[in-house]
Amino acid sequence: MASGNRLKIAICGKSGLVGSKLESYFTSQHNDVVGVNVRGGVSTEDVAAQIEKCDILINLSGATILARWSDAYKKTLYDSRIGTTKKLVDAIGLCKEKPKLFLNASAVGIYASDEVHDDDSTDFAEDYLAHICKDWEAEAARAGEFGVRNVQMRFGVIYAKEGGALQKMLPPFKFGLGGKVGSGEQMVSWIHIDDLVKAVQFIIKTPDMSGSVNFCAPYPLSNQEQTEVMGRVLHRPTLFPLPAFVLKLLFGEGAAVMLDSKEIYPSRLTEHGFVFEYERFEDALKEIVR
């Protein structure tokens, strides 16, 4: 480990919503945080030089999911995740002093819709997002071949003041134009960004945790319930549903991210004693709009 309790933490995708929050947190705890550049023609050897002697490597890189999925964009979604992860793991193999822990992003989109899942579930979806997640996790798990503990962080929908999904959801609600999405029956598995950061820190300090871990609050809720909470907290009517066909026109295949039902529970975190600060969506939303 680094001198004293000071850790050297390398983050790929440091400028994004999650990366910037993690950087702020780790820096406040007197750790050294460095960004990792893997883009373009950066060689595996160069990446290895960037991560040499780091204690923890965190990979958050990937083009945004909330976009229209043309065929070209689907390739971008895939390459920005799997290509990057492959380069990072190959670089780990070249390091003389390897990271002790490799944390790699993934998503609850890996799971089959309309079913209930915990971390041990292997009932995966067959759509494009699940295809990305499966290949992404398989690539990240190769770090184990080099003796590096690795965790695939399956993120639910991330809610934060600073951006993410709520930034797109809140404006129509504030103008009284909010409403359920599609049928409203689809389950939403979500996490407050502060709990996400806490969970990363928890995993760092819990050496027997490895493999896939669900990063989502213990109380998922339906989109209809979520809509009602938003109306209540913001004191606004919620009379304007967003029909599924409109989302499909706007986002193509990407609409599945908002329309598919994902009921996921964080069994591995809770079994290890992790305590969520924001277990229920209403508390998370109140903190964010406060």
Side-chain angles (χ1 to χ4, degrees), residues 164-281:
L166 265 183
Q167 215 171 34
K168 293 183 167 61
M169 289 164 65
L170 281 173
F173 276 88
K174 285 180 173 167
F175 288 114
L177 301 173
K180 67 180 183 180
V181 173
S183 70
E185 291 170 12
Q186 68 275 24
M187 295 296 288
V188 181
S189 293
W190 60 277
I191 188 167
H192 188 294
I193 190 121
D194 290 355
D195 279 328
L196 187 157
V197 170
K198 268 177 66 181
V200 167
Q201 176 68 353
F202 183 82
I203 287 170
I204 290 170
K205 292 183 168 174
T206 312
D208 61 336
M209 285 187 82
S210 62
S212 56
V213 176
N214 293 335
F215 273 59
C216 47
Y219 295 101
L221 74 173
S222 72
N223 174 262
Q224 176 71 50
E225 291 170 310
Q226 188 175 50
T227 300
E228 288 163 8
V229 169
M230 289 180 76
R232 200 160 61 239
V233 170
L234 296 166
H235 309 293
R236 292 288 186 275
T238 55
L239 305 172
F240 292 87
L242 185 55
F245 80 87
V246 174
L247 279 172
K248 286 172 183 166
L249 283 174
L250 290 171
F251 294 100
E253 237 178 289
V257 176
M258 289 157 273
L259 295 171
D260 285 357
S261 183
K262 304 290 179 188
E263 185 174 351
I264 321 295
Y265 293 89
S267 53
R268 200 153 284 158
L269 278 170
T270 51
E271 281 161 14
H272 278 86
F274 181 77
V275 178
F276 285 84
E277 193 172 343
Y278 301 99
E279 291 194 333
R280 297 189 183 271
F281 176 69

Side-chain angles (χ1 to χ4, degrees), residues 19-170:
S20 52
K21 283 295 270 195
L22 286 172
E23 180 180 23
S24 299
Y25 173 76
F26 286 128
T27 308
S28 75
Q29 301 295 304
H30 312 294
N31 298 298
D32 298 317
V33 179
V34 296
V36 183
N37 176 29
V38 295
R39 285 193 177 155
V42 177
S43 70
T44 308
E45 289 76 15
D46 183 46
V47 176
Q50 294 178 63
I51 65 174
E52 183 72 49
K53 292 186 178 173
C54 78
D55 297 293
I56 297 154
L57 174 60
I58 302 175
N59 179 28
L60 304 165
S61 63
T64 180
I65 293 285
L66 289 172
R68 183 171 176 76
W69 291 13
S70 62
D71 286 345
Y73 195 72
K74 282 166 73 173
K75 186 177 184 325
T76 300
L77 284 174
Y78 188 91
D79 292 347
S80 64
R81 287 168 172 75
I82 287 74
T84 300
T85 307
K86 181 182 189 318
K87 195 180 271 190
L88 283 170
V89 176
D90 288 347
I92 288 171
L94 296 179
C95 288
K96 290 184 181 67
E97 285 188 47
K98 296 176 176 27
K100 317 293 181 291
L101 171 62
F102 178 41
L103 289 154
N104 193 72
S106 183
V108 296
I110 197 168
Y111 294 113
S113 296
D114 302 311
E115 291 174 35
V116 178
H117 303 274
D118 64 13
D119 305 68
D120 295 318
S121 173
T122 53
D123 194 4
F124 297 146
E126 295 297 326
D127 60 17
Y128 193 70
L129 182 56
H131 164 63
I132 289 176
C133 290
K134 286 178 230 177
D135 287 2
W136 202 6
E137 293 192 6
E139 206 55 71
R142 285 196 305 119
E145 294 169 18
F146 304 116
V148 175
R149 174 163 76 107
N150 60 94
V151 169
Q152 285 76 53
M153 305 178 286
R154 290 177 178 165
F155 294 149
V157 181
I158 300 165
Y159 292 135
K161 276 192 185 71
E162 297 81 1
L166 265 183
Q167 215 171 34
K168 293 183 167 61
M169 289 164 65
L170 281 173

